[in-house]
Amino acid sequence: MGTGYKLINIHPTLPDNIPEDERLSEMRIDEKKRIFGFRVQSVYYIIWFDRDHSVCPE
């Protein structure tokens, strides 16, 4: 099983050190856990680890 990946447009307020125009994405780790972050070239920067879908409910 691989990770699911999708861009998201609706999210909580970003931390101050993250530019507002970054394109955020969600990666599904398993059925419940998600990580949210953004990519710059080949590096993925994790902003949130979401165990209970509180960052971006579906």
Side-chain angles (χ1 to χ4, degrees), residues 37-49:
F38 62 97
R39 196 172 123 173
V40 176
Q41 296 177 354
S42 62
V43 178
Y44 190 79
Y45 295 93
I46 298 172
I47 300 173
W48 297 293
F49 180 70

Side-chain angles (χ1 to χ4, degrees), residues 9-48:
N9 295 318
I10 299 172
H11 51 76
T13 303
L14 294 172
D16 291 338
N17 59 340
I18 309 295
E20 283 292 325
D21 61 347
E22 282 298 339
R23 296 193 59 186
L24 295 185
S25 62
E26 167 195 278
M27 281 202 279
R28 295 173 183 242
I29 303 307
D30 63 20
E31 299 257 340
K32 294 186 178 186
K33 297 179 207 90
R34 312 283 191 264
I35 57 175
F36 292 87
F38 62 97
R39 196 172 123 173
V40 176
Q41 296 177 354
S42 62
V43 178
Y44 190 79
Y45 295 93
I46 298 172
I47 300 173
W48 297 293

